Amino acid sequence: MVEPLLRLDNISHRFGAIEALRDVSFEIGRGEVVALLGDNGAGKSTLVKIISGGLAPTSGRLIYEGQDRLFASPAEAKAAGIETVYQDLSLCANVDVVANFFMGREIVRKYLGIPILQEREMEAVVASAMASAGTRIPSLRINVEHLSGGQRQAIELNRFVHWGGKLVLLDEPFAALGVEQTRRGLDMVKRIAAQGIGVIIITHIMAQAFQVADRIIILRRGEVAGNLPRAATSPEEAERLIIGEPIASQSPTTRPNGPQPS
Ligand SMILES: Nc1ncnc2c1ncn2[C@@H]1O[C@H](COP(=O)(O)OP(=O)(O)OP(=O)(O)O)[C@@H](O)[C@H]1O
Ligand SMILES: [Mg+2]
């Protein structure tokens, strides 16, 4: 059997009296896109935080690349190749695209003992990374604050791929984007998955989930209410699982507002 990239084993989380996650278990493979769906408060963001080292689960295990791991911080998860990409939060607005791309990894060479930043070399690396991903940015030398949300997201994803990322978490990545930028974002998700990267994408827009995901996982009140290959389900079925309505063909007499079995 092929080892999954990440396996969640009975992850539970409590915020005081609130049970945000209960015994959540599923796997994600290399190159797989999983859409994580669920109503407001279902536990999606909490789960993403646990995977990416932002929050420790109350109980449960994460098995990443075959090893039992819980990341103590987002930096630790990032070093292992797991990253949450936000639309713009993790780029520095007041420096340019090249500086953002190389943040903390700058190419420096010493001349006569003096360290010199290799600006041209770094720009060439960024230009080639952007070109191979099909991302068009007007200039790599303008500050990120002047770029659109979709452009910033593309830069982040390209940076993630370039530095050897393995699993990317996208929590409602297209919520603030227009039609064209969303289409590009979805294309980009497919492209990075084709390179063997695992993607977990949270979205409230069913059509987006069905457009990119290989598998649909539904959380309902902190529990996995469905884990289905996209080809084996439908937006209608996913919708029903999200709200907890029984599937008509299975239990026609137990609709929430219908007659209750005695
Ligand atoms: N820091 C916190 N302290 C207390 N309760 C929290 C905290 N974060 C989340 N919760 C609660 O945990 C539950 C799950 O929240 P979570 O943010 O994971 O939901 P979500 O599925 O991402 O929802 P949405 O679609 O609205 O973003 C909710 O009941 C929420 O109120
Ligand atoms: Mg959320």
Side-chain angles (χ1 to χ4, degrees):
M1 209 191 89
V2 183
E3 178 189 272
L5 176 59
L6 177 72
R7 186 156 71 81
L8 281 68
D9 182 12
N10 286 296
I11 296 283
S12 296
H13 192 77
R14 283 187 159 279
F15 292 106
I18 300 167
E19 196 171 23
L21 295 170
R22 190 197 301 168
D23 292 334
V24 171
S25 299
F26 63 82
E27 293 178 356
I28 172 163
R30 290 178 173 78
E32 188 176 29
V33 180
V34 165
L36 192 57
L37 308 182
D39 232 334
N40 295 119
K44 306 177 298 294
S45 295
T46 303
L47 190 59
V48 160
K49 282 180 200 147
I50 288 172
I51 296 170
S52 63
L55 189 68
T58 310
S59 62
R61 300 190 310 154
L62 288 183
I63 293 99
Y64 179 61
E65 298 192 299
Q67 289 183 10
D68 212 325
R69 300 206 59 176
L70 278 178
F71 302 105
S73 66
E76 211 177 277
K78 193 171 169 174
I82 300 180
E83 205 170 331
T84 308
V85 168
Y86 299 99
Q87 195 170 309
D88 47 24
L89 289 175
S90 38
L91 293 178
C92 287
N94 59 351
V95 300
D96 68 24
V97 180
V98 175
N100 267 290
F101 203 91
F102 275 91
M103 192 74 58
R105 291 159 164 141
E106 292 81 0
I107 303 175
V108 176
R109 289 212 176 80
K110 283 193 175 174
Y111 292 97
L112 305 169
I114 301 159
I116 310 277
L117 205 53
Q118 302 301 295
E119 290 286 0
R120 252 194 261 154
E121 189 177 340
M122 295 195 309
E123 184 170 336
V125 169
V126 178
S128 118
M130 297 291 167
S132 69
T135 305
R136 282 191 304 274
I137 304 284
S139 159
L140 299 177
R141 286 302 176 187
I142 56 172
N143 286 357
V144 161
E145 64 198 330
H146 302 304
L147 297 175
S148 76
Q151 288 169 330
R152 292 180 204 195
Q153 205 167 61
I155 293 165
E156 276 215 68
L157 281 171
N158 289 336
R159 182 174 67 174
F160 170 84
V161 172
H162 183 80
W163 299 111
K166 295 173 186 169
L167 175 63
V168 64
L169 307 164
L170 302 163
D171 193 346
E172 304 199 39
F174 312 126
L177 300 190
V179 175
E180 176 59 16
Q181 294 224 327
T182 298
R183 192 188 60 74
R184 283 199 205 146
L186 289 167
D187 283 348
M188 186 141 185
V189 165
K190 289 185 200 161
R191 213 159 36 224
I192 66 175
Q195 294 175 53
I197 291 166
V199 181
I200 297 181
I201 177 169
I202 294 177
T203 172
H204 279 284
I205 301 168
M206 198 61 79
Q208 288 179 2
F210 276 78
Q211 214 174 318
V212 288
D214 301 303
R215 213 142 42 83
I216 309 279
I217 294 183
I218 290 138
L219 278 186
R220 180 163 183 273
R221 296 187 182 165
E223 292 186 279
V224 176
N227 181 347
L228 301 155
R230 178 191 53 181
T233 185
S234 63
E236 293 73 28
E237 182 183 32
E239 205 82 63
R240 282 195 294 269
L241 290 166
I242 288 169
I243 59 174
E245 203 179 301
I247 293 162
S249 61
Q250 286 176 357
S251 48
T253 58
T254 54
R255 300 181 71 82
N257 300 319
Q260 297 298 312
S262 49

